[in-house]
Amino acid sequence: MIWRGRMHMLYIITAMHCEAKPFIREYGLKRDDSARFFEIYKSTSMVLIISGIGKMRAAIATAHILSRIEPEEDSAVLNIGTCGSILKEFPIGTPVLINKIRDEESGREYYPDMLLLDIDIVQGSLATHNAVIARKDIEQNYDKKVGYPEHIDMEGSGFFQAAEKFMGPHQIYVIKVISDFLEGDRLDNIYITDCMEKALPRIKNVLEHISVFCRQAVKRDIFTSEEKTILEKLADHLRLTNYQRHQLYNMARAYKIRTGLRVPEFKEFMEVDFKAKEEGKVLFRQVCKV
């Protein structure tokens, strides 16, 4: 099934059903029986997909769900799940809005936009690993001078890497709920669901803020006529598809909201002469990094 033309949608990726259970109940989500590859639940304003454990599965599930929609500028995608924490000052069940993600295998780092102001939630950094990591492993191996992310999971980097291919930075969020302090305890499904239940009221508040923020960002015509001309000329020059044009406007909008600066003129890209369509794709990927 394909969801097209719907507005104000939240797309949520969780690794396990026990993490998703409180959201399915709270938002009255119904299982999509037509879904073949993943367990998917939905309502008129939310789609939740259960990816399975691991960053590869999270990336595949995220791409699966987002590739089935038209770019929706007032929607958002979130990875919500449990994590282990280095920090013992926060109790079990504390939700954390992630402001930095490091993939510990590749070394790549990702920085979600922190545009939500006056919101009651802890912020922190996240390290994504391929395997379960214990506190003793971290204390033995990480560079104390550089420091280490406060929270540990197995999905965040895979989710974010896939999500940024489809959504603008202001539309991508990672929320992790502290379930343990990396002491090696085996956590059962009931315990994990209980952790998510404790965090649910605060996460609901964050979801409401995200929905309002994304709708307001779209309603505001923040581009000047000159900026619109710049974006249209760039899109024409790079021979962007309609989908890529949406991406370009999403990223430009997020750039203005995040920095308060005007849209750059992209002269270095406009001056490049190319013939092959693939060259245009390469240039567009470079534009996305500006």
Side-chain angles (χ1 to χ4, degrees):
M1 184 173 182
I2 299 177
W3 302 278
R4 295 191 184 278
R6 297 186 178 184
M7 305 298 286
H8 315 314
M9 293 292 287
L10 293 179
Y11 301 93
I12 297 177
I13 289 82
T14 67
M16 299 179 287
H17 187 276
C18 55
E19 294 174 328
K21 193 173 180 179
F23 298 93
I24 295 170
R25 171 188 54 77
E26 183 68 23
Y27 290 97
L29 306 181
K30 304 300 181 183
R31 183 159 184 172
D32 181 359
D33 293 326
S34 68
R36 295 176 54 198
F37 305 107
F38 293 95
E39 197 175 335
I40 295 175
Y41 297 82
K42 60 180 182 172
S43 68
T44 56
S45 60
M46 181 179 291
V47 174
L48 184 150
I49 181 169
I50 299 172
S51 66
I53 297 172
K55 63 186 178 185
M56 180 65 74
R57 289 177 177 174
I60 293 171
T62 303
H64 174 78
I65 208 73
L66 296 183
S67 65
R68 295 155 69 90
I69 63 172
E70 295 287 355
E72 298 161 324
E73 297 176 0
D74 60 351
S75 297
V77 60
L78 303 95
N79 175 218
I80 303 178
T82 52
C83 69
S85 182
I86 301 285
L87 309 176
K88 292 188 175 182
E89 58 260 41
F90 299 115
I92 298 297
T94 299
V96 181
L97 182 63
I98 300 302
N99 54 30
K100 175 184 176 181
I101 304 167
R102 176 179 170 83
D103 186 298
E104 286 302 318
E105 277 64 50
S106 70
R108 291 191 62 182
E109 295 182 343
Y110 306 90
Y111 295 87
D113 276 351
M114 293 289 107
L115 300 174
L116 300 177
L117 302 176
D118 301 321
I119 190 166
D120 182 23
I121 188 170
V122 174
Q123 292 189 18
S125 57
L126 180 72
T128 298
H129 287 263
N130 279 334
V132 176
I133 298 296
R135 177 180 290 270
K136 60 181 178 61
D137 299 320
I138 295 170
E139 292 173 346
Q140 289 174 1
N141 298 322
Y142 82 95
D143 187 340
K144 293 183 179 179
K145 293 181 180 179
V146 175
Y148 200 84
E150 295 104 332
H151 311 288
I152 312 296
D153 88 329
M154 295 177 64
E155 290 81 35
S157 65
F159 158 78
F160 199 92
Q161 187 174 9
E164 66 179 357
K165 304 297 183 185
F166 300 92
M167 296 285 204
H170 67 295
Q171 297 173 287
I172 306 172
Y173 301 87
V174 176
I175 300 175
K176 294 296 174 177
V177 176
I178 298 174
S179 61
D180 63 278
F181 298 112
L182 305 169
E183 303 291 356
D185 300 326
R186 187 174 182 83
L187 311 179
D188 62 28
N189 291 349
I190 295 175
Y191 175 86
I192 292 174
T193 298
D194 184 56
C195 290
M196 300 302 290
E197 288 282 6
K198 289 178 181 177
L200 184 61
R202 200 165 293 176
I203 293 177
K204 279 187 64 179
N205 183 49
V206 175
L207 296 184
E208 291 170 6
H209 275 77
I210 289 172
S211 294
V212 170
F213 172 80
C214 288
R215 286 197 295 267
Q216 289 178 343
V218 169
K219 287 180 179 178
R220 288 182 296 188
D221 188 9
I222 63 174
F223 297 122
T224 65
S225 57
E226 182 182 0
E227 288 173 326
K228 290 178 182 178
T229 299
I230 289 172
L231 293 173
E232 283 302 310
K233 285 184 177 180
L234 179 63
D236 289 341
H237 179 67
L238 298 180
R239 304 172 197 170
L240 300 185
T241 63
N242 287 335
Y243 180 84
Q244 290 169 328
R245 284 175 186 264
H246 279 290
Q247 282 187 301
L248 176 64
Y249 273 86
N250 274 348
M251 289 183 290
R253 181 178 289 107
Y255 173 82
K256 287 202 68 173
I257 293 172
R258 183 175 67 250
T259 66
L261 302 175
R262 67 187 302 277
V263 171
E265 295 185 8
F266 300 107
K267 288 183 178 180
E268 65 272 34
F269 300 102
M270 294 296 294
E271 293 172 354
V272 176
D273 187 23
F274 64 93
K275 296 181 180 180
K277 190 174 182 179
E278 187 60 35
E279 293 179 82
K281 291 182 180 179
V282 172
L283 286 174
F284 181 58
R285 287 195 290 268
Q286 293 175 5
V287 169
C288 294
K289 296 178 181 179
V290 172

